[in-house]
Amino acid sequence: EDQCEIGDVIRVGAVTGQVERMTLRRTVVRDGEGTLITIPNSEILVLGNLTRDWSQVSFSIAVGNRQKLDETLALLRDTIDELTADPNVKGDLLQPPQLLGLDRFTGAQMEILLQARTQPGRQADVGREWRRLIKLAFERAGIPLTDPQDLRLELERTHPVSHAP
């Protein structure tokens, strides 16, 4: 029914993989670890095609709440310019990447949402390159990317809890 074709990356239930073969009875996919998985077509109730027409990379960058938001957003906008200027990536982008903005506060951090629409199947490579550019930009600016464990330790160090009776 034209839901997918050989080469597409699909999701069926808990299985995600690239379609290698299709018959009237089964669809065979290979997952990211190289496992060949056979799915009886009678078991396919819902199929998600991750590479039909275009793909998308979406991710959040977590930084500490003490960082200046506008400066952090400006730094992320600069990485969009770097990404779109990269000759190895720009052909994979179908439209300019987007800085969607402050997505949420969780504990001592804020999460900033980013997104890029790519050629089918190119979202992982574009995402890895964009994350690399962000990491380098944050290192240059002295802005630490946060880890919840690191934040907890930092809060304990800067705001010790008294255990006095």
Side-chain angles (χ1 to χ4, degrees):
E1 295 184 25
D2 197 34
Q3 295 174 345
C4 65
E5 53 192 45
I6 292 173
D8 282 344
V9 176
I10 64 169
R11 181 179 304 129
V12 176
V15 174
T16 299
Q18 185 172 27
V19 177
E20 289 196 356
R21 288 188 300 277
M22 294 186 308
T23 68
L24 290 174
R25 292 181 169 215
R26 64 189 176 120
T27 300
V28 180
V29 300
R30 189 169 304 271
D31 73 8
E33 296 176 348
T35 305
L36 194 63
I37 302 165
T38 300
I39 307 167
N41 290 341
S42 61
E43 300 288 320
I44 299 175
L45 302 176
V46 175
L47 181 144
N49 190 327
L50 306 177
T51 55
R52 174 66 55 97
D53 301 325
W54 52 270
S55 295
Q56 185 163 284
V57 58
S58 297
F59 60 95
S60 292
I61 295 296
V63 295
N65 281 340
R66 295 177 188 219
Q67 297 301 320
K68 294 183 178 179
L69 178 60
D70 288 340
E71 289 176 13
T72 303
L73 294 175
L75 188 66
L76 290 169
R77 282 186 198 95
D78 290 345
T79 67
I80 290 173
D81 295 340
E82 286 182 73
L83 189 69
T84 57
D86 184 335
N88 296 318
V89 175
K90 72 180 184 180
D92 292 330
L93 297 170
L94 295 179
Q95 53 188 233
Q98 295 182 298
L99 171 60
L100 299 176
L102 183 59
D103 196 39
R104 71 181 82 165
F105 289 106
T106 55
Q109 70 184 21
M110 55 185 167
E111 294 181 15
I112 301 166
L113 185 60
L114 303 126
Q115 201 170 70
R117 189 169 292 185
T118 70
Q119 294 287 346
R122 299 297 300 152
Q123 72 275 17
D125 291 332
V126 170
R128 282 190 287 273
E129 179 58 17
W130 197 359
R131 287 181 188 94
R132 185 185 76 80
L133 292 172
I134 290 168
K135 172 71 170 135
L136 293 173
F138 277 41
E139 285 175 357
R140 286 190 301 267
I143 298 174
L145 294 169
T146 61
D147 175 302
Q149 176 69 14
D150 292 343
L151 286 172
R152 186 182 62 77
L153 294 173
E154 175 64 16
L155 286 173
E156 287 174 0
R157 185 182 67 73
T158 58
H159 298 86
V161 176
S162 173
H163 295 287

